[in-house]
Amino acid sequence: MTNMLKKKLKQNVATKKQTAVPSGLKTLLRRFKKLKFEYVECGRIDSIADGIARVYGLDGVQAGELLEFLPKSGEVIRGMALNLEKQFVGAVLFGNDAALKEGDFSRRTKSIISVPAGLFLRGRVLDPLGQPLDNKGALPATKQELIERKAPGIQLRARIDSPMATGIRAVDSLVPIGNGQRELIIGDRQTGKTAIAVDTIIHQTTLRQLEADYVSSKTVNSCIGAEKAGSTCVYVAIGQKRSSVAQLAKKLDEVNAMPWTVIIAATASDSAPLQFLAPYAGCTIAEYFRDIGEPTVIIYDDLSKQAVAYRQLSLLLRRPPGREAYPGDVFYCHSRLLERAANMGKGYSLTALPIIETQAGDLSAYIPTNVISITDGQCALEADLFFKGIRPAINVGLSVSRVGSAAQIKAMKRVAGQLKLLLAQYRENAAFAQFASDLDASTKKVLERGERLTQILKQDQFATTSTPIQVVMLYAGSKGYLDVLSLDQINQFMTLVVNDLTTYSWPFVETIVATKDYDSDAESSMQEYITDMVSYIQSN
C-alpha cells in the first residue's frame, strides 16, 4: 500500500510541475490586471413591431435606462428599457423603427433617461430628451438631471400662503391658486383650457419682468415690482399639432413672455414614448428653477393624451389592461408626477396646472376622477357657458380651490367673499326665474346684480389684469355701484379703469400694492373714484 501511495504522489508532483505558470507569463498577467478596459454590453433584437423591441443579451440593464439601437444603415436610434423580463428586455423606441430588423445590435449606455437643466433653457423649445426644436443653436454642455425624481417629503414642505396670480378675474377671485398648489383645469375640447394656461404664463412673466425692471432701475417712482411676485414658466405640450406649438411660441415672443418661459413639446407626430416622457422632463426642468429660488409654474397640456400614450405602450408591452384598457398603474403615473409640485418655503415653490380633457362634460370618467383626487382643486369649464359668450367659461358650482383664501391677499379676500355669496344667490334665483312670470323687487335686484357681476368676470384672452385693478372692479360690482349701468356701459367702465389705473398713479392702488389691503382712507378714495367714473360714463 505504501509503495502505491508513493507512486501516486510522485505522479501528482510531476503533473503540477508540467502545468506550472511560467514566470514571464505571470508578469504579463500582472500588467494586464493594471490596465483599465472599457467594454460595451450588447444585445440583439429578437422581435420588433409598433415601436416596441424585445432584446436578449442585456442582462445588467436597468429600468428606465437609455438604450442605443444600431441598424445597418448606420443611424443610431435611441430607446428606453421598460419591461425587465427573465430572458428578454422590452424597450420602447424614440425614433422610427423602419430601419431596424431582427438580429440588429442594441447596446447599453448605463445612464438613466435625463435632460439638461440650466438658466440657458429660458426662451427655448425642446423635445423631452432635451434636443432643441427652435433653430436657435445647440444647447451648451451642462449637467444632466434625471427625469424621474422623488417628490419632496412632508417635513420639507411649507404651507401654501402666497397667491400665484393668473391675471384672470374669475380665477383669482373665485378659485384662487397659491404658489406650490396643484390646480386642475378640466373641460371639454375647445372650451378655453389652454387659454387660461397661456394667460397665466403671460401674467406671471409680466410680473417677473416688472421685478427685473424694478431691480435694474436707478430711479424708483413706484413700488410695483418691489416684491418677487412673478414666476418662471414651463409649458409642456403633449400630443398637440406642431403648428399650434409654433403659434404659441410666436405669441409668447410677441408679448415678451418667452425670455421667462421654457416649452417642452412632444407633438402628435412624435412617438408615444416621447409623449409619455414629456411631463416628467418638463417637471425636472421646473424643479431646477425652483431649487435655485425661482417661483416656478408648470403647465401640462394635457395629461389625457399622456395617459393614452401610456396605455398604448403598456398594451404593446403586453401588460395586463384594467379599466378602460388603461394599465393598473396609470394612477401612479400621474400621482408621482403631480406630487413633485410643492411649496418649499422662502420663495422655493413649484405650482402645477395640469389640464384634462373630458368627453361631453363627464367628470366621473376614469382619468378625470384620478387627477381630481390627486390635485388640490379644479377649475371646471363648461361648453354651454362658452357658447353663451361667458369666457372664461368657468362653472362656479363645480370649480373649487382647496387652498381657498390662503392664496389671496387681504384686499382680494374682502371683495371675493361677498362675491361668492352674491353669485350663489344669482344662480339659485336664475334657475327659478325661468319658470316664474312675476318676480318681486328683491329677486329682480339679485338677478340684475348677478348679471353685472357675471359681466365683470368676463375677460378677453391675452387681456390679463393686475390684482389691485381686479380689487377695484370687484369692489365696484359687489357694493352695487354699477347697478345703474347697462351691460355695455360696464364694459366701458372696465376699459376706462384699466387704462386709467395703469397709466396714472393713484394713492389707493399704491396702498393695495404696498400693504396687500386697503384702509378706511384708501376705501373712501376708491369709492370716490368709482362714483366719479360711473357719473362720467352716464353723462356720456
Side-chain angles (χ1 to χ4, degrees):
M1 289 292 293
T2 54
N3 293 332
M4 292 287 293
L5 288 173
K6 288 180 180 179
K7 286 182 179 180
K8 285 185 178 181
L9 289 172
K10 287 181 181 179
Q11 289 176 359
N12 290 336
V13 171
T15 52
K16 284 183 180 180
K17 288 182 179 179
Q18 291 176 2
T19 58
V21 179
S23 59
L25 187 56
K26 287 183 179 179
T27 306
L28 290 175
L29 286 172
R30 283 195 294 269
R31 292 178 181 176
F32 183 80
K33 288 179 180 179
K34 292 181 181 179
L35 296 176
K36 294 183 179 179
F37 293 94
E38 292 185 2
Y39 63 94
V40 179
E41 293 185 37
C42 292
R44 285 184 180 271
I45 297 176
D46 178 69
S47 63
I48 183 166
D50 300 318
I52 303 294
R54 284 167 57 88
V55 184
Y56 65 90
L58 297 178
D59 297 332
V61 72
Q62 304 176 68
E65 183 176 335
L66 184 66
L67 303 178
E68 292 182 343
F69 295 87
L70 309 173
K72 293 180 181 178
S73 60
E75 179 187 3
V76 177
I77 298 175
R78 291 186 292 180
M80 180 178 65
L82 272 186
N83 268 20
L84 302 183
E85 302 172 10
K86 190 173 182 179
Q87 296 179 345
F88 297 95
V89 173
V92 294
L93 303 179
F94 298 138
N96 189 5
D97 62 351
L100 291 172
K101 297 180 181 178
E102 295 179 9
D104 286 344
F105 280 102
S106 172
R107 66 188 179 197
R108 290 185 61 190
T109 61
K110 297 184 180 180
S111 64
I112 308 298
I113 296 287
S114 57
V115 290
L119 293 172
F120 54 85
L121 293 179
R122 285 176 178 159
R124 302 301 300 267
V125 181
L126 312 172
D127 71 1
L129 299 179
Q131 301 300 316
L133 301 174
D134 51 8
N135 296 323
K136 292 183 181 179
L139 299 176
T142 184
K143 182 183 177 181
Q144 300 280 323
E145 297 285 349
L146 297 178
I147 67 168
E148 291 274 10
R149 298 174 65 182
K150 191 176 180 181
I154 295 175
Q155 293 181 336
L156 299 176
R157 297 173 184 250
R159 68 189 302 265
I160 298 172
D161 55 3
S162 60
M164 194 283 296
T166 64
I168 303 170
R169 293 186 287 274
V171 175
D172 291 342
S173 59
L174 301 176
V175 280
I177 304 172
N179 283 313
Q181 188 177 343
R182 301 159 297 178
E183 183 77 8
L184 171 63
I185 303 173
I186 188 169
D188 291 356
R189 65 183 304 269
Q190 299 297 325
T191 53
K193 301 186 297 297
T194 302
I196 291 178
V198 173
D199 281 353
T200 302
I201 292 175
I202 292 174
H203 188 65
Q204 283 293 307
T205 51
T206 302
L207 294 176
R208 190 69 182 80
Q209 188 62 47
L210 283 173
E211 181 207 341
D213 295 341
Y214 178 85
V215 172
S216 61
S217 62
K218 296 181 180 178
T219 58
V220 180
N221 298 320
S222 172
C223 61
I224 296 177
E227 185 180 1
K228 196 168 191 176
S231 304
T232 298
C233 298
V234 179
Y235 179 82
V236 183
I238 310 164
Q240 299 184 28
K241 296 184 292 184
R242 284 181 177 266
S243 59
S244 301
V245 179
Q247 290 172 4
L248 173 64
K250 183 180 178 182
K251 181 62 182 179
L252 294 179
D253 209 18
E254 290 174 357
V255 297
N256 199 30
M258 202 61 194
W260 306 101
T261 308
V262 184
I263 296 178
I264 307 296
T267 58
S269 59
D270 290 326
S271 61
L274 288 178
Q275 295 183 34
F276 165 66
L277 287 177
Y280 302 104
C283 190
T284 295
I285 293 172
E287 284 177 328
Y288 167 80
F289 289 106
R290 179 201 67 192
D291 293 341
I292 64 173
E294 286 280 341
T296 310
V297 178
I298 183 166
I299 293 151
Y300 305 108
D301 191 8
D302 63 80
L303 291 185
S304 302
K305 294 185 176 66
Q306 191 220 13
V308 171
Y310 187 54
R311 176 173 63 181
Q312 177 182 335
L313 292 180
S314 299
L315 292 175
L316 290 172
L317 288 167
R318 300 178 185 177
R319 293 180 178 177
R323 178 178 167 184
E324 295 182 21
Y326 287 103
D329 62 339
V330 70
F331 182 91
Y332 178 62
C333 169
H334 287 151
S335 65
R336 75 175 189 262
L337 171 69
L338 295 173
E339 281 294 323
R340 293 165 71 176
N343 179 26
M344 312 298 289
K346 298 181 180 179
Y348 296 79
S349 68
L350 173 57
T351 308
L353 299 179
I355 295 176
I356 289 291
E357 181 181 307
T358 56
Q359 304 292 329
D362 184 15
L363 300 184
S364 61
Y366 187 33
I367 300 302
T369 52
N370 277 358
V371 183
I372 286 173
S373 65
I374 296 168
T375 51
D376 306 313
Q378 68 272 356
C379 182
L381 305 182
E382 192 174 322
D384 292 340
L385 295 176
F386 184 85
F387 295 131
K388 286 179 183 177
I390 302 175
R391 302 174 186 176
I394 297 177
N395 186 323
V396 183
L398 296 177
S399 301
V400 65
S401 173
R402 297 187 182 96
V403 174
S405 59
Q408 290 176 319
I409 63 173
K410 289 183 179 180
M412 181 62 80
K413 285 182 194 177
R414 294 171 65 176
V415 296
Q418 190 175 7
L419 178 68
K420 293 176 184 177
L421 178 62
L422 292 172
L423 286 174
Q425 293 174 347
Y426 167 68
R427 288 197 309 272
E428 184 179 357
N429 288 313
F432 288 106
Q434 295 177 353
F435 308 102
S437 56
D438 296 331
L439 298 173
D440 58 289
S442 61
T443 304
K444 287 182 179 179
K445 185 178 179 181
V446 169
L447 291 174
E448 289 175 358
R449 184 168 295 183
E451 289 176 354
R452 280 151 181 78
L453 290 174
T454 304
Q455 191 69 21
I456 292 174
L457 295 179
K458 290 182 183 179
Q459 195 166 345
D460 295 332
Q461 191 178 3
F462 309 129
T464 59
T465 311
S466 64
T467 302
I469 298 177
Q470 289 184 32
V471 171
V472 175
M473 290 179 176
L474 297 175
Y475 183 89
S478 60
K479 296 295 183 180
Y481 289 98
L482 305 183
D483 290 352
V484 296
L485 300 180
S486 65
L487 298 182
D488 292 335
Q489 287 176 326
I490 288 178
N491 292 333
Q492 184 183 358
F493 170 82
M494 291 192 293
T495 303
L496 291 175
V497 166
V498 170
N499 293 336
D500 195 27
L501 298 184
T502 305
T503 306
Y504 304 104
S505 178
W506 291 84
F508 59 89
V509 174
E510 294 286 341
T511 301
I512 295 173
V513 172
T515 65
K516 310 298 181 188
D517 199 359
Y518 53 86
D519 52 17
S520 57
D521 294 335
E523 185 174 7
S524 60
S525 60
M526 182 165 57
Q527 291 172 350
E528 184 180 352
Y529 172 81
I530 294 171
T531 305
D532 292 342
M533 186 64 72
V534 170
S535 301
Y536 171 77
I537 293 173
Q538 284 182 312
S539 63
N540 292 334

